[in-house]
Amino acid sequence: MTRAIKTQLHNLAFSGLILKEIFDHPLEDETPQARLKEIGMMTILYTMSQAHQRLTLTNIVDISGLTRSGAKETVDLLVKRGMLNETMGTNSMGRGTARQFEISQDLLNKLSTFES
């Protein structure tokens, strides 16, 4: 199979997986609008990850166009769901700390079942 087709199938599998995970496991007091934002955010984060971009709140805000508080709210829900892991790293200037995220290994393991 060509690399382009494999990449496209991988992206479709990821989209289907996040749809299933988010819609099948709603959080308490979560609105349908919040679930849709989470799906969109996971799509952005996955694309950033595939492009080897750091998943920091600043980068997410720059790419998504959301306000910092809007991005934080959605990312926090994804961390709560266990779809993202959060760590503290140095900021781009190397002087302070910045929240960094990565797609959870559990989610990536589920995705890898589609590859065989």
Side-chain angles (χ1 to χ4, degrees):
M1 180 178 329
T2 67
R3 181 177 165 97
I5 292 173
K6 186 174 181 179
T7 300
Q8 189 174 14
L9 290 174
H10 197 264
N11 291 342
L12 286 170
F14 184 81
S15 295
L17 177 62
I18 60 170
L19 280 169
K20 181 175 177 15
E21 290 292 317
I22 291 172
F23 282 132
D24 286 357
H25 308 288
L27 298 174
E28 188 175 322
D29 297 331
E30 181 183 45
T31 66
Q33 180 181 355
R35 286 192 293 274
L36 288 174
K37 283 177 70 175
E38 291 169 40
I39 291 165
M41 182 63 73
M42 281 303 294
T43 302
I44 290 169
L45 297 177
Y46 182 71
T47 303
M48 289 174 67
S49 176
Q50 293 299 97
H52 305 290
Q53 293 178 309
R54 290 179 56 200
L55 304 183
T56 63
L57 210 49
T58 300
N59 287 348
I60 294 166
V61 166
D62 288 345
I63 290 172
S64 69
L66 290 170
T67 63
R68 191 167 186 85
S69 62
K72 179 188 174 308
E73 178 184 314
T74 304
V75 167
D76 286 345
L77 289 172
L78 293 169
V79 169
K80 184 177 179 180
R81 282 182 174 283
M83 296 178 88
L84 291 179
N85 296 324
E86 178 182 4
T87 57
M88 294 303 284
T90 57
N91 67 13
S92 60
M93 292 191 237
R95 291 183 288 186
T97 58
R99 294 172 69 189
Q100 292 183 170
F101 305 94
E102 63 183 9
I103 297 172
S104 76
Q105 191 59 49
D106 183 48
L107 193 62
L108 294 175
N109 289 342
K110 287 178 183 179
L111 181 62
S112 70
T113 62
F114 291 104
E115 292 179 4
S116 48

